[in-house]
């Protein structure tokens, strides 16, 4: 089932073919963000696309935010960490290179703090229990740090293409929302009250703010506990001078995601839930005016023979009734099942294309085995570029 053979989308047109080779060959393309729901092969797609781009002469780094180690394993590396590592065996004949890394959320947060303050103040923040909590488990921190790391990679100018593998699609939406969410938290009413004593100026103002803060602290400490409240207050007061810099960097990276050199590639499987998530993400990208390149429809089941499923099943039943060749009958039944699967996939895809008729699509047939090495990634890359 190739993009050219997908049935009419319901409005007299078929989906345009997504030419990923043209995308990665275009030197104006600097960032490719792969997104999609869990279990659709998004990490593999990102790695295969990065490997193919390197083989075609691009200097590429692929960043995974997925904590699974599939990317490292498929590239022949024992592990990935917060620093890019050269992928051995990547084709460099055309002058390209490939490096890979996996986001270390806490380390990236530490780097941001160190870059915005003195060593002594940074250490005080690192030692604060409240910081240790939000830097490792606060909702949105991982996605915020992914944005920060993307900004860092882009700022170096070391690579001419960055491929980003995001968490499953709802989390990938968090990838877009994280700067605003974390900013709202750090600039919210509770945080402003926690830092009020430090922000107060004159003695009269300090007295007024102090009495208000004491009432607030007494109420909150009964819920959070006195020590946690003290830790939070100390953290906010130390962090207050860094906040503007954090916001500025997040906004810069957000603008990078909207820039003409960025392309979002939605990865989906031909299944209702995955395509529903893909549809949701396509709509969100349109709302945010972010550049969508198209969709990779992964693990499809194309049918190359012209024999219909019904005829194949009839033939199998006739052979079985006549006690004919059992192997041929089994093959016919397998073919009938494959045809039914392909037809079901086309129906599901047709619903997506009716809703989004202008989204280019390239399909990648299901592989016989899981991808676990560079050879497998190259095979996927060939299918992506077909």
């Amino acid at each position: 089932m190739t993009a050219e053979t997908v049935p009419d989308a319901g409005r007299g047109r078929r989906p345009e073919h997504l030419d990923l080779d043209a995308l990665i060959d275009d030197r104006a393309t600097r960032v490719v963000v792969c997104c999609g729901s869990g279990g659709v092969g998004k990490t593999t797609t990102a790695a295969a696309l990065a490997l193919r781009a390197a083989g075609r002469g691009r200097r590429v780094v692929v960043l995974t935010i997925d904590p699974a180690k599939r990317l490292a394993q498929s590239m022949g590396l024992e592990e990935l960490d917060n620093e890019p590592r050269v992928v051995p065996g990547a084709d460099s004949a055309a002058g390209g290179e490939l490096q890979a890394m996996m986001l270390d959320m806490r380390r990236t947060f530490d780097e941001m703090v160190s870059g915005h303050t003195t060593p002594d103040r940074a250490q005080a923040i690192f030692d604060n229990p409240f910081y240790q909590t939000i830097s490792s488990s606060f909702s949105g921190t991982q996605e915020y740090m992914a944005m920060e790391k993307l900004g860092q990679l882009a700022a170096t100018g070391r690579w001419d293409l960055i491929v980003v593998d995001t968490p499953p699609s709802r989390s990938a939406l968090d990838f877009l929302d994280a700067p605003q969410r974390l900013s709202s938290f750090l600039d919210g009413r509770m945080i402003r009250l926690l830092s009020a004593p430090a922000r107060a100026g004159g003695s009269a103002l300090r007295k007024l703010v102090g009495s208000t803060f004491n009432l607030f602290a007494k109420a909150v400490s009964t819920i959070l506990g006195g020590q946690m409240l003290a830790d939070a207050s100390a953290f906010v007061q130390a962090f207050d001078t860094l906040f503007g810099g954090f916001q500025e960097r997040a906004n810069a990276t957000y603008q990078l995601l909207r820039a003409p050199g960025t392309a979002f590639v939605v990865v989906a499987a031909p299944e209702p839930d995955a395509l529903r998530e893909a549809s949701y993400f396509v709509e969100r990208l349109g709302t945010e005016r972010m550049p969508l390149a198209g969709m990779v429809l992964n693990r499809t089941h194309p049918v190359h023979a012209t024999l219909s499923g019904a005829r194949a099943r009839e033939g199998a039943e006739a052979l079985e009734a006549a006690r004919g060749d059992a192997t041929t009958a089994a093959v016919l039944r397998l073919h009938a099942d494959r045809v039914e699967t392909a037809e079901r996939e086309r129906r599901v895809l047709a619903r997506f294309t009716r809703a989004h008729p202008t989204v280019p699509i390239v399909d990648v047939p299901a592989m016989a085995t899981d991808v676990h090495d560079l050879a497998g990634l190259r095979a996927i890359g060939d299918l992506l570029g077909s």
Side-chain angles (χ1 to χ4, degrees), residues 365-378:
M367 303 288 284
T369 59
D370 290 339
V371 175
H372 58 273
D373 55 18
L374 288 180
L377 289 177
R378 288 193 183 95

Side-chain angles (χ1 to χ4, degrees), residues 69-109:
K69 296 185 177 181
R70 293 188 301 273
L71 185 62
Q73 294 167 349
S74 65
M75 292 185 168
L77 299 171
E78 291 186 5
E79 61 179 1
L80 291 174
D81 56 24
N82 211 44
E83 293 298 325
R85 297 187 180 194
V86 173
V87 176
D91 185 4
S92 59
E97 65 172 340
L98 176 61
Q99 297 191 24
M101 63 178 297
M102 184 170 70
L103 178 72
D104 184 326
M105 180 173 64
R106 173 63 185 272
R107 184 173 169 187
T108 301
F109 209 148

Side-chain angles (χ1 to χ4, degrees), residues 161-183:
L161 179 62
I162 302 169
V163 180
V164 181
D165 164 40
T166 62
S169 64
R170 294 293 178 174
S171 295
L173 292 175
D174 290 344
F175 181 74
L176 303 180
D177 292 333
Q180 182 60 42
R181 288 218 323 275
L182 195 59
S183 294

Side-chain angles (χ1 to χ4, degrees), residues 17-270:
H17 178 71
L18 173 60
D19 189 344
L20 286 173
D21 277 351
L23 178 71
I24 60 178
D25 288 346
D26 185 354
R27 295 287 168 161
T29 303
R30 306 303 298 268
V31 178
V32 174
V33 181
C34 295
C35 49
S37 58
V40 298
K42 176 176 52 60
T43 299
T44 300
T45 298
L49 195 60
L51 181 64
R52 187 170 181 83
R56 297 172 75 88
R58 302 297 299 269
R59 291 180 291 108
V60 189
V61 60
V62 57
L63 165 65
T64 182
I65 307 169
D66 188 340
K69 296 185 177 181
R70 293 188 301 273
L71 185 62
Q73 294 167 349
S74 65
M75 292 185 168
L77 299 171
E78 291 186 5
E79 61 179 1
L80 291 174
D81 56 24
N82 211 44
E83 293 298 325
R85 297 187 180 194
V86 173
V87 176
D91 185 4
S92 59
E97 65 172 340
L98 176 61
Q99 297 191 24
M101 63 178 297
M102 184 170 70
L103 178 72
D104 184 326
M105 180 173 64
R106 173 63 185 272
R107 184 173 169 187
T108 301
F109 209 148
D110 289 352
E111 290 171 354
M112 288 183 65
V113 171
S114 296
H116 283 81
T117 190
T118 63
D120 289 344
R121 175 168 285 191
Q123 191 59 52
I125 293 174
F126 297 155
D127 293 340
N128 187 286
F130 193 75
Y131 171 79
Q132 293 168 12
T133 298
I134 71 162
S135 64
S136 58
S137 60
F138 184 75
S139 175
T141 303
Q142 182 186 52
E143 289 78 16
Y144 184 97
M145 291 307 131
M147 295 274 281
E148 166 65 16
K149 182 55 68 174
L150 171 59
Q152 289 178 6
L153 294 173
T156 66
R158 184 176 174 185
W159 301 275
D160 58 32
L161 179 62
I162 302 169
V163 180
V164 181
D165 164 40
T166 62
S169 64
R170 294 293 178 174
S171 295
L173 292 175
D174 290 344
F175 181 74
L176 303 180
D177 292 333
Q180 182 60 42
R181 288 218 323 275
L182 195 59
S183 294
S184 297
F185 167 74
L186 293 173
D187 201 32
R189 184 177 181 183
M190 185 183 79
I191 295 298
R192 282 186 275 111
L193 281 169
L194 287 171
S195 59
R199 292 182 181 182
S203 59
L205 180 59
R206 282 198 301 271
K207 184 176 181 181
L208 174 62
V209 171
S211 61
T212 303
F213 177 78
N214 288 336
L215 290 173
F216 164 76
K218 184 176 180 180
V220 174
S221 64
T222 61
I223 302 172
L224 299 181
Q227 185 58 49
M228 180 177 289
L229 178 62
D231 292 339
S233 181
F235 162 75
V236 170
Q237 292 175 38
F239 193 81
D240 189 48
T241 58
L242 311 183
F243 181 55
F246 275 38
Q247 283 187 309
E248 182 179 348
R249 292 165 73 96
N251 290 336
T253 305
Y254 186 79
Q255 292 307 314
L256 172 65
L257 291 175
R258 301 177 69 178
T262 297
F264 283 82
V265 174
V266 177
V267 183

